[in-house]
């Protein structure tokens, strides 16, 4: 027995996709009432020329399940990565917070970086934001904002982080004593990015590259100034 509206659908001289879709949405039991016809329907296939509607639906369902499994796998990997990042950052914070002096603080930060297979870690502070001028014992941490500004414009632009190589003159500005540096991860410190720079260095020219994640770098750059205030006074 035809359902209300089915007569009109069949009597129409020309049907478009929208009319068919609207009818099926209004009559969800259509395929149940016409099960035998559905089994005989064929759908174009790029390899087998055509397949039954049932086969086509099952293949589509399998593809959807496969995509869901892939998405779930990516979510699990991301969760694992975030957990690893969290504990790595927690360990670093605990080490730095218990340092008895600024020298040991810097040594611990450097050792942490080397434990990750890096060449090291370096802190540079803008002297207009920290009291590190003579007779302070921390003058070696000073980084002239004027000298740094061309590098900031060229490498960071409007961002807070840069990952990749630095040329010779740029290295002399931020890492004058460093040797054989292939690539760096550089981040401006503080919420406004106006307190200084943290640099992690690698001898591998391809270790740090554009497009890599910066979440760990961002958290470290945000955390360090507060810890530094134990020894260095802010302006």
């Amino acid at each position: 027995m035809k359902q209300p509206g089915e007569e009109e659908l069949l009597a129409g001289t020309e049907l478009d996709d929208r009319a068919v879709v609207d009818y099926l949405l209004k009559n969800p039991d259509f395929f149940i009432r016409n099960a035998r016809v559905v089994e005989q329907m064929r759908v174009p296939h790029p390899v087998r020329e055509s397949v039954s509607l049932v086969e086509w639906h099952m293949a589509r369902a399998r593809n959807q399940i496969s995509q869901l499994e892939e998405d779930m796998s990516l979510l699990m990997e991301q969760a694992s990565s975030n957990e690893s990042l969290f504990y790595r950052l927690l360990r670093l914070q605990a080490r730095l917070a218990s340092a008895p002096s600024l020298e040991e603080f810097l040594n611990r930060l450097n050792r942490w970086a080397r434990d990750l297979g890096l060449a090291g870690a370096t802190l540079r502070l803008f002297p207009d934001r920290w009291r590190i001028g003579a007779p302070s014992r921390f003058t070696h941490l000073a980084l002239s904002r004027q000298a740094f500004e061309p590098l900031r414009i060229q490498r960071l632009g409007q961002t807070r982080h840069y990952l990749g190589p630095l040329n010779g003159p740029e290295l002399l500005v931020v890492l004058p004593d460093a040797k054989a540096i292939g690539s760096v991860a550089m981040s401006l410190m503080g919420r406004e990015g106006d307190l200084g720079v943290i640099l992690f260095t690698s001898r591998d020219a391809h270790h740090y590259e554009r497009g890599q994640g910066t979440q760990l770098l961002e958290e470290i750059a945000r955390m360090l100034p507060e810890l530094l205030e134990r020894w260095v006074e802010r302006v």
Side-chain angles (χ1 to χ4, degrees):
M1 176 182 293
K2 293 182 175 59
Q3 297 297 306
E6 196 166 342
E7 290 282 1
E8 294 180 14
L9 183 67
L10 296 175
T13 57
E14 185 176 343
L15 294 175
D16 58 17
D17 290 356
R18 185 68 260 171
V20 175
V21 170
D22 287 343
Y23 173 78
L24 292 177
L25 289 175
K26 294 176 182 177
N27 297 271
D29 59 343
F30 174 84
F31 290 106
I32 297 175
R33 293 184 286 101
N34 298 275
R36 292 185 179 180
V37 176
V38 171
E39 292 175 359
Q40 298 172 12
M41 294 176 66
R42 310 293 294 180
V43 177
H45 191 275
V47 178
R48 298 166 54 188
E49 294 187 359
S50 68
V51 295
S52 71
L53 184 60
V54 175
E55 288 178 297
W56 176 83
H57 181 71
M58 291 179 64
R60 189 166 182 270
R62 284 195 295 270
N63 288 336
Q64 290 176 329
I65 292 172
S66 178
Q67 183 62 50
L68 287 173
E69 290 176 343
E70 184 176 337
D71 291 344
M72 182 60 72
S73 178
L74 289 174
L75 286 173
M76 293 295 290
E77 289 178 9
Q78 185 64 43
S80 177
S81 176
N82 288 341
E83 183 180 18
S84 175
L85 183 151
F86 171 77
Y87 284 112
R88 190 179 297 177
L89 185 64
L90 192 63
R91 286 193 293 271
L92 173 62
Q93 187 176 35
R95 290 185 193 180
L96 297 182
S98 62
S101 66
L102 179 59
E103 288 76 13
E104 181 59 22
F105 176 94
L106 297 174
N107 286 337
R108 292 185 181 190
L109 178 63
N110 204 42
R111 284 198 299 270
W112 183 82
R114 290 184 176 181
D115 288 343
L116 297 178
L118 301 174
T122 301
L123 271 177
R124 304 299 306 276
L125 306 178
F126 296 137
D128 59 334
R129 291 290 183 269
W130 302 87
R131 299 189 187 283
I132 52 178
S136 166
R137 294 180 293 112
F138 312 128
T139 55
H140 62 288
L141 298 178
L143 173 61
S144 166
R145 192 185 294 274
Q146 182 178 0
F148 178 72
E149 188 62 10
L151 189 157
R152 185 197 66 78
I153 294 172
Q154 177 66 27
R155 298 298 186 177
L156 287 93
Q158 300 301 314
T159 67
R160 299 278 298 273
H161 315 286
Y162 169 74
L163 294 94
L166 294 178
N167 59 38
E170 291 171 335
L171 287 171
L172 285 175
V173 171
V174 291
L175 298 166
D177 300 323
K179 297 180 180 179
I181 299 301
S183 59
V184 306
M186 178 170 60
S187 183
L188 298 175
M189 292 194 301
R191 292 188 179 279
E192 303 301 325
D194 62 342
L195 299 181
V197 182
I198 173 69
L199 298 106
F200 292 96
T201 57
S202 172
R203 304 195 189 285
D204 182 357
H206 301 289
H207 185 86
Y208 289 116
E209 296 180 330
R210 288 186 180 276
Q212 294 175 335
T214 60
Q215 186 177 357
L216 180 59
L217 185 63
E218 183 174 349
E219 294 298 331
I220 293 174
R222 189 177 299 173
M223 170 184 73
L224 290 179
E226 184 176 346
L227 295 173
L228 281 170
E229 288 181 18
R230 295 168 59 195
W231 300 285
V232 188
E233 185 182 356
R234 290 272 298 276
V235 173

